[in-house]
Amino acid sequence: DNDPTDPKNQIAGTDNLADQLDAAGVKWRAYGESMGTACNMTSTKLYAAHHMPWLYYQTMSTDAARCADRVVDFDQSFASDLATGQLRYMFVTPNMCHDMHDCGADVVQPWLENVVNEIQASPGYQNGGAIFLMFDEGSVRILGASADLPTIVLSPKLVSPTYHSQTTFGHPGYLATMEDILDLPRLPTTMNAVPMDELFV
């Protein structure tokens, strides 16, 4: 929960998705809702900098121009970027209200529905794109047990619209799936991860 402003919280090296994407020439951006200034590493009431994993990579945080181009405010950039169809990977982090931390489903549901509808109407999605809707933590953990969290995947390339996997995927599985889709090499943390291949034709 510590913001990435302190260098001791930053991660050295290039073993991360941001550096993989740039090395492969894959156009991408990460969007933080209520971020304000691009590459903002300090949290506010609505914006949680510690929910933006990209800001913890030293190769990103120490390169101001690169960071300001890749890690941007959702409200300022997402809709226009989506409409261009030029980006192959877009990562959205909702603010503290729309991630259901501070607001209820009655507020979050219409916001999420609008975002999903906007994505589904975009050229990238209609040409075989995919939406991965994930939570990264649950509210109930008993005796140190990990929480089982839902992941919803929307895509014209799904094996069926109502497919339900019996496989438990961890966050490394999502990352491995992105690496496979985008023809990136596997990182050490995803080398043995189970990707979500079974969901797609």
Side-chain angles (χ1 to χ4, degrees), residues 1-21:
D1 285 341
N2 294 320
D3 283 353
T5 49
D6 189 335
K8 71 180 182 184
N9 296 328
Q10 295 175 8
I11 303 165
T14 59
D15 280 346
N16 62 69
L17 183 58
D19 286 325
Q20 282 187 301
L21 292 167

Side-chain angles (χ1 to χ4, degrees), residues 6 29 31 35-36 51-52 67 85 92 98 101 111 134 147 153 185:
D6 189 335
R29 269 187 167 168
Y31 303 84
M35 174 183 271
H51 288 174
M52 297 295 292
C67 190
V92 175
H98 292 146
H101 187 280
W111 177 85
M134 300 179 297
V153 181

Side-chain angles (χ1 to χ4, degrees), residues 84-95:
T84 68
Q86 297 299 307
L87 301 177
R88 289 198 64 204
Y89 184 75
M90 303 171 83
F91 185 97
V92 175
T93 300
N95 66 25

